[in-house]
């Protein structure tokens, strides 16, 4: 069943799609939240397939995910996650990182988000920000599940677009361990006690094999001398 809903520009269109419980990824339980959208222009979609196209100052959200664009083609996946292709000048994408207060944000002329794979692709004048870190290029790929990035510049000789890629990784906060680093205090003793310095055992063996020292000689007075 295909339908077209025409709404007054004064009233934003909104649709709530009830999502069944599922696995949590991205920000925990994002996929368990409603997909909500609003736009200035008519919405065209398919309720049975739970997909559609919205145009005109579009905002679409699901949990902590939010996309702002001029046009968004989207659908609800079988696992209740959101997949969307957005076009704008620019498109903006935002999602909260799991177990963190930080968000990662993307900006480009076109963005493709796949909620099933937890991937975001940004095309043309792309910028990806994660906390204070950022990556710039003509194409940026980000996998929120693995933390993998890929950034590409425009082909050399192509008209328009920067051929170089750029990025900034900010210093870690004091006391913040690098991913995969093992914790531990400086100066901690290794397991099994403190190791003896080199040659310590040889020195101990020499001392144990050395001949024992004779006891001091006891001096006693000769009583025969005092009798004379």
């Amino acid at each position: 069943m295909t339908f077209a809903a025409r709404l007054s520009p004064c009233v934003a269109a909104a649709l709530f799609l009830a999502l069944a419980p599922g696995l949590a990824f991205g920000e925990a339980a994002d996929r368990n939240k409603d997909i909500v959208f609003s736009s200035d222009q008519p919405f065209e979609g398919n309720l049975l397939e739970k997909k559609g196209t919205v145009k005109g100052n579009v905002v679409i959200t699901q949990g902590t995910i939010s996309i702002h664009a001029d046009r968004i083609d989207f659908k609800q996946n079988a696992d209740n996650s959101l997949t969307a292709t957005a076009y704008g000048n620019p498109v903006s994408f935002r999602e909260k990182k799991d177990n963190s207060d930080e968000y990662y944000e993307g900006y480009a002329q076109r963005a493709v988000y796949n909620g099933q794979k937890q991937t975001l692709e940004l095309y043309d004048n792309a910028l990806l920000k994660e906390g204070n870190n950022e990556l710039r290029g003509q194409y940026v790929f980000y996998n929120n599940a693995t933390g993998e990035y890929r950034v590409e510049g425009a082909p050399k000789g192509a008209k328009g677009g920067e051929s170089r890629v750029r990025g900034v990784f900010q210093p870690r906060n004091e006391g913040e361990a690098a991913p995969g680093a093992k914790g531990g205090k400086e100066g901690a003793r290794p397991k099994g006690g403190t190791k003896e310095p080199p040659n310590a055992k040889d020195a101990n063996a020499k001392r144990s094999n050395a001949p024992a020292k004779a006891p001091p000689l006891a001096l006693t007075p000769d009583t025969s001398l005092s009798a004379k």
Side-chain angles (χ1 to χ4, degrees):
M1 177 180 66
T2 303
F3 70 96
R6 297 187 175 276
L7 302 176
S8 167
C10 300
V11 180
L15 177 68
F16 298 87
L17 301 179
L19 306 182
L23 299 176
F25 63 99
E27 167 65 6
D30 267 351
R31 65 169 60 186
N32 294 337
K33 304 296 177 60
D34 296 339
I35 296 175
V36 182
F37 70 85
S38 63
S39 65
D40 290 339
Q41 298 181 19
F43 163 73
E44 296 183 358
N46 188 306
L47 281 182
L48 293 180
E49 297 179 3
K50 294 188 176 180
K51 66 180 183 180
T53 297
V54 279
K55 301 177 182 179
N57 192 26
V58 181
V59 179
I60 187 167
T61 64
Q62 185 182 31
T64 68
I65 300 170
S66 66
I67 308 173
H68 295 246
D70 295 332
R71 168 184 167 179
I72 300 179
D73 301 326
F74 74 96
K75 70 174 181 178
Q76 182 190 47
N77 300 314
D79 63 355
N80 299 317
S81 62
L82 169 69
T83 287
T85 300
Y87 307 85
N89 189 25
V91 174
S92 67
F93 177 93
R94 194 168 190 255
E95 182 178 13
K96 192 173 185 291
K97 295 171 59 179
D98 202 7
N99 300 320
S100 173
D101 292 331
E102 293 184 339
Y103 285 77
Y104 75 90
E105 304 175 17
Y107 303 89
Q109 301 301 299
R110 177 164 64 97
V112 178
Y113 174 71
N114 188 319
Q116 289 181 311
K117 298 180 179 179
Q118 300 185 60
T119 58
L120 174 67
E121 295 178 278
L122 303 172
Y123 297 85
D124 301 326
N125 297 324
L127 167 63
L128 180 69
K129 300 180 66 176
E130 186 179 30
N132 292 323
N133 304 318
E134 63 178 50
L135 297 168
R136 295 176 181 269
Q138 288 304 299
Y139 171 80
V140 176
F141 169 88
Y142 176 56
N143 188 318
N144 189 35
T146 64
E148 176 190 1
Y149 298 94
R150 186 168 72 251
V151 187
E152 299 176 7
K156 292 185 178 180
K159 294 183 179 180
E162 177 64 54
S163 61
R164 295 176 62 84
V165 300
R166 305 178 187 277
V168 176
F169 286 163
Q170 295 288 338
R172 292 187 177 89
N173 296 328
E174 185 176 354
E176 180 183 357
K182 295 182 179 180
K185 295 182 179 179
E186 277 189 35
R189 292 186 178 182
K191 294 182 179 180
T194 305
K195 292 184 179 180
E196 293 183 341
N199 302 324
K201 292 183 178 180
D202 293 340
N204 292 335
K206 289 180 179 179
R207 285 196 294 270
S208 62
N209 295 330
K213 292 183 179 180
L217 181 64
L219 300 178
T220 57
D222 191 346
T223 55
S224 63
L225 295 177
S226 59
K228 295 180 178 181

